[in-house]
């Protein structure tokens, strides 16, 4: 059987181009250094699944590279901006479509649908952790182009909430249009979702300062039945265009009955063309990618090239996933930097890891249940799956006082670890993770072959890494206890490091030849 090491680059490129699923890609990439070289050099356009795998591969390698020195934060911010802007602009290309206009017309009436055809921009984001970890603030911005006055009307809203109620809810609406600049603040202590149940004085307090805005919109729309209602305006500010269904009395219609007919593609197309003409997404995306470079590394250019194809193919959901995963892996890589781990091993760990799901964040209140999932790929197609769940009472310290871990080994055997939540013992039984430690150690031996000194991983390190991959790294001390950072991953000579059985070594060598 021919070895990968004997094949030229053109031949290997053709072979790699047929790997159409991420598992096969990562298995080969992790097991053969020659294939890694080709992956880093090839510019070929590949199968969509492989293209996504390449993007993940480059980004993980880059995160390891930038967290290996003191310049990591600025470099990560640049990567974060690239990913977020790519996802935002790619999503914006699909913001206004005929199908979506019809959906708004069916759900919230002809006036809402007409307003939707005026849309120029729609953005939202959530910030957590200020002024306390239990707080968050939601921002939404909607921009509509008013053709009558040829101006953009921009509606910015905020919603601040504290999970445990130490701070009152705060809502605000800010509208600008040319010289018009109007604000409405502190009109209710309820959340926007409950706007239909606000007291009448709260509704009035929200909308009264906005009277010039309502009048301007009414003038642009023409006569409606009924005229713009307070509830319709609040919905426009916080939930336009697709969130929540207006009640019947607030689904505005035009007085001219012909304007209430279901929109046709011909009528909507001119609005769509104008939207794209104004957006210039392709130009902005090309500039975004072309400007992102780093003379000290070839990885940025590889990331940029791969991103350009993902953008061209409108891989919006995957770009959003890349953005989330990049944040997660940056945190993991930054935490691993505190351990005496060599760069090749950190990269090997990240490349083996898939972040699947987590509903935990630093602002999550510890009075409920949160869970996360991750998986880890190893040679021979072996996969380890990890699930973790945490509970807490929200009062005592540490507030998260109960942890469950379920680790499924490649043979289907399930390891169950938990902290019993008592005062005397909260640490989990890390020694149960020895089968996973062996798999990680085999990967370490392989990726650092010939390095001379290979880290000796222990079960506590495995537990540490699982917690961080599950996004529970902030609770490490609670469930693992305090640790001397030099204990979990001690340096050993190549001769003294974990070698594995003869069968395992043979399997690794065979995997390298496949």
């Amino acid at each position: 059987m021919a070895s990968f090491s004997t094949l030229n680059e053109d031949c290997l490129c053709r072979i790699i181009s047929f790997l159409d699923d991420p598992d096969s890609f990562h298995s080969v990439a992790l097991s053969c250094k020659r294939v890694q070289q080709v992956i880093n050099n090839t510019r070929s356009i590949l199968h969509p699944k492989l293209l996504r795998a390449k993007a993940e591969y480059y980004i993980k390698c880059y995160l390891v590279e930038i967290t290996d020195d003191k310049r990591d934060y600025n470099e990560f911010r640049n990567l974060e901006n690239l990913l977020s802007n790519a996802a935002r602009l790619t999503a914006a290309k699909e913001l206004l479509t005929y199908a979506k206009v019809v959906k708004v017309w069916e759900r919230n009436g002809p006036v809402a649908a007409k307003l939707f055809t005026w849309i120029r921009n729609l953005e939202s984001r959530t910030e957590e952790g200020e002024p306390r970890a239990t707080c968050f603030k939601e921002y939404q911005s909607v921009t509509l182009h008013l053709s009558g006055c040829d101006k953009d009307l921009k509606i910015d809203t905020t919603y601040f909430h504290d999970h445990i109620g130490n701070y009152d809810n705060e809502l605000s609406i800010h509208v600008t249009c040319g010289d018009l600049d109007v604000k409405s603040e502190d009109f209710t202590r309820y959340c926007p979702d409950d706007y239909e149940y606000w007291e009448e004085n709260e509704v009035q307090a929200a909308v009264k300062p906005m009277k010039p805005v309502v009048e301007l919109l009414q003038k642009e729309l023409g006569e409606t039945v009924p005229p713009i209602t307070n509830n319709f305006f609040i919905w426009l500010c916080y939930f336009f265009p697709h969130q929540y269904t207006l009640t019947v009395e607030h689904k505005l219609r035009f007085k001219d009955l012909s304007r209430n007919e279901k929109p046709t593609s011909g009528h909507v197309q001119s609005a769509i063309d104008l939207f794209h003409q104004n957006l210039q997404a392709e130009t902005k995306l090309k500039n975004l990618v072309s400007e992102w470079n780093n003379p000290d590394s070839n990885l940025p250019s590889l990331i940029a090239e791969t991103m350009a194809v993902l953008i061209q193919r409108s891989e919006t959901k995957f770009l959003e996933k890349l953005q989330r995963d990049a944040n997660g892996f940056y945190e993991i890589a930054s935490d691993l930097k505190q351990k005496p781990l060599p760069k090749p091993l950190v990269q090997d760990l990240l490349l083996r890891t898939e972040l699947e799901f987590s509903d935990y964040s630093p602002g999550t209140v510890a009075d409920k249940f949160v869970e996360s999932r991750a998986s880890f790929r190893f040679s021979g197609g072996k996969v380890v799956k990890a699930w973790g769940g945490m509970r807490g009472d929200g009062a005592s310290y540490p507030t998260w006082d109960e942890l469950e871990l379920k680790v499924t080994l490649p043979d289907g055997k399930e390891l169950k670890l938990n902290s019993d939540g008592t005062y005397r013992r909260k640490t989990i039984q890390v020694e149960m993770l020895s089968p996973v430690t062996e798999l990680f150690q085999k990967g370490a031996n392989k990726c650092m072959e010939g390095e001379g000194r290979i880290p000796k991983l222990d079960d506590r390190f495995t537990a540490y890494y699982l917690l961080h991959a599950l996004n529970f790294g902030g609770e490490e001390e609670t469930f693992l206890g305090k640790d001397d950072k030099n204990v979990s991953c001690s340096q050993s000579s190549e001769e003294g490091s974990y070698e594995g059985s003869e069968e395992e070594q043979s399997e690794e060598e065979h995997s390298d030849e496949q």
Side-chain angles (χ1 to χ4, degrees), residues 46-60:
L46 305 170
H47 188 285
K49 289 184 180 179
L50 182 53
L51 182 68
R52 296 170 197 153
K54 283 183 66 175
E56 291 178 340
Y57 176 85
Y58 294 145
I59 287 172
K60 289 176 182 178

Side-chain angles (χ1 to χ4, degrees), residues 341 345 349 437 440-441 444 455-459 461 488-490:
L341 288 175
L345 178 54
L349 289 169
T437 304
F440 278 130
Q441 187 68 62
K456 175 71 173 175
L457 306 180
D458 63 16
D459 297 332
F461 174 80
S488 293
C489 185
S490 58

